[in-house]
């Protein structure tokens, strides 16, 4: 496979959308075939699963939540990501398996060995590069507080849940320093974007 898989991770209000857009435009300007997707979702089946997962009036135990995240991911990998990588495209995904370790592992307390086993056979691939947009939980929440619409089922969790999510992301980044680039997402947006693009350039030069 000649393509590359790049994931963008972080807590609520970390600024993943603007980072995704900046990465997309830089890679397209280099003449690359770029595929942009998101999790949960990214396929018709995945988007239906996303609606189920985020429905604020829905009830899901932690195990069902984890399995639905992986059902969406399994479909996305086989329907979108693998075919794109095989034809040499660069895939940018708004979240991937690290989110399951952070939210369902750190946040909900599911054993990480179970998640690792699902990663091995259902996800089957790992990103080449992962940007972790790290922001203080309260700062991230303040950014999305003024949004229109109801908060989704996961956004309705308490602050300590999001503190555990953040801590788990940082632990994962520390344990895989070659794959992860941790970005201070509490900084002004132009600084965040500059840091991400610098790190991308460094990563690409390391792959040559
Ligand atoms: N989830 C899970 O539990 N397990 C899994 O395996 C997966 C996901 C894959 C949906 O994800 C939920 O699914 C999510 C994790 C869970 N749950 N929660 N809660 P999502 O990615 O679709 O939803 P999200 O994380 O809630 O997205 P978000 O809150 O929209 O975050 P964002 O995309 O990073 O935010 P943004 O739209 O880019 O930025 C938010 C605002 O901040 C916006 O007004 C920006 O203009 C502003 N912003 C951004 N950067 C800055 C800076 N640097 N300074 C000031 N203001 C800024």
């Amino acid at each position: 496979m000649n393509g590359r898989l790049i994931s963008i991770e972080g807590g609520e209000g970390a600024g993943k959308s603007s980072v995704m857009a900046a990465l997309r435009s830089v890679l397209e300007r280099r003449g690359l075939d770029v595929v942009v997707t998101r999790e949960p979702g990214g396929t018709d089946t995945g988007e239906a699963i996303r609606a189920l997962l985020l429905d604020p009036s829905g009830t899901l135990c932690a195990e069902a939540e984890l399995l639905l995240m992986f059902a969406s991911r399994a479909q996305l990998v086989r329907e979108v990501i693998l075919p794109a990588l095989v034809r040499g495209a660069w895939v940018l995904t708004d979240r991937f398996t690290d989110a399951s370790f952070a939210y369902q592992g750190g946040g909900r307390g599911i054993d990480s060995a179970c998640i690792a086993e699902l990663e091995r056979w259902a996800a089957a691939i790992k990103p080449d590069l992962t940007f972790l947009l790290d922001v203080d939980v309260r700062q991230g929440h303040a950014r999305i507080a003024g949004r229109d619409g109801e908060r989704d089922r996961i956004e309705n969790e308490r602050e300590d849940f999001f503190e555990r999510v953040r801590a788990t992301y940082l632990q994962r980044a520390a344990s895989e320093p070659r794959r992860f680039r941790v970005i201070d997402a509490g900084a002004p947006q132009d600084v965040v974007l500059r840091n991400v693009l610098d790190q991308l350039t460094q990563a690409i030069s390391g792959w040559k």
Side-chain angles (χ1 to χ4, degrees):
M1 286 190 291
N2 302 318
R4 298 282 177 190
L5 175 60
I6 300 177
S7 60
I8 294 93
E9 300 278 359
E12 282 58 36
K16 291 181 282 102
S17 317
S18 43
V19 166
M20 288 281 289
L23 287 172
R24 176 186 204 154
S25 112
V26 154
L27 294 173
E28 283 179 346
R29 270 189 269 127
R30 285 178 173 232
L32 293 163
D33 175 2
V34 182
V35 172
V36 172
T37 190
R38 69 167 180 181
E39 284 210 327
T43 62
D44 289 348
T45 304
E47 291 296 324
I49 295 172
R50 179 186 178 93
L52 202 59
L53 275 162
L54 301 184
D55 179 358
S57 60
T59 306
L60 284 175
C61 64
E63 291 77 6
E65 183 179 271
L66 175 70
L67 291 169
L68 286 171
M69 294 292 177
F70 271 97
S72 170
R73 182 167 302 131
Q75 190 64 33
L76 180 68
V77 166
R78 285 151 188 87
E79 191 177 321
V80 175
I81 297 181
L82 284 177
L85 294 177
V86 166
R87 71 165 193 266
W90 286 48
V91 180
L92 298 177
T93 181
D94 185 337
R95 301 192 184 280
F96 200 60
T97 310
D98 295 298
S100 295
F101 281 99
Y103 284 81
Q104 284 65 52
R108 303 274 188 232
I110 293 183
D111 184 352
S112 63
C114 295
I115 305 175
E117 183 58 16
L118 285 168
E119 178 181 37
R120 190 184 64 73
W121 74 268
I125 49 172
K126 265 194 178 200
D128 298 289
L129 177 66
T130 298
F131 288 102
L132 172 56
L133 307 183
D134 179 55
V135 67
D136 173 79
V137 170
R138 288 188 180 186
Q139 190 179 350
H141 279 179
R143 286 179 185 169
I144 60 168
R147 252 185 208 166
D148 292 340
E150 202 178 359
R151 294 171 67 79
D152 70 43
R153 196 179 54 80
I154 298 177
E155 284 170 346
N156 277 330
E157 282 299 328
R158 291 187 349 214
E159 191 175 318
D160 60 320
F161 172 89
F162 295 103
E163 293 290 1
R164 292 196 299 278
V165 168
R166 183 184 186 198
T168 309
Y169 266 135
L170 289 170
Q171 280 161 18
R172 289 188 65 71
S175 70
E176 286 187 69
R178 282 173 60 84
R179 173 165 70 90
F180 275 92
R181 299 288 187 281
V182 181
I183 306 291
D184 173 9
Q189 215 157 16
D190 58 325
V191 176
V192 172
L193 295 182
R194 200 166 50 242
N195 286 340
V196 166
L197 296 181
D198 285 350
Q199 293 291 335
L200 175 72
T201 307
Q202 268 186 34
I204 291 177
S205 61
W207 292 336
K208 281 182 183 154

